[in-house]
Amino acid sequence: MGDKDKKICKLAKEDYLKDEFKKYKELVKDARYVCRKCGRVAVKEKRLCKPEKM
Ligand SMILES: [Zn+2]
């Protein structure tokens, strides 16, 4: 499973934000969903553990 299939919630806990901040910005810049549990945002619902439409 590559990074593109991982949940943003999980990536955020793995130092992804520090190392791949540019990619992270791409993932969240047009975000339509917010995670009810973690407060992360994403374009795609499946990238969050508890997605809710914004
Ligand atoms: Zn989450």
Side-chain angles (χ1 to χ4, degrees), residues 7-13 24 34-41 47-51:
K7 297 207 186 315
I8 286 171
C9 302
K10 190 164 185 286
L11 292 174
K13 290 174 188 158
Y24 178 76
V34 59
C35 179
R36 293 173 65 173
K37 192 178 162 197
C38 320
R40 303 287 169 187
V41 297
R47 306 301 297 271
L48 300 168
C49 58
K50 296 274 182 191

Side-chain angles (χ1 to χ4, degrees), residues 13-36:
K13 290 174 188 158
E14 294 176 345
D15 289 342
Y16 183 83
L17 302 191
K18 218 180 350 179
D19 301 335
E20 307 278 357
F21 199 67
K22 204 171 170 185
K23 277 193 221 166
Y24 178 76
K25 287 194 290 185
E26 289 296 309
L27 289 173
V28 301
K29 70 176 181 180
D30 297 313
R32 291 190 178 175
Y33 294 90
V34 59
C35 179
R36 293 173 65 173

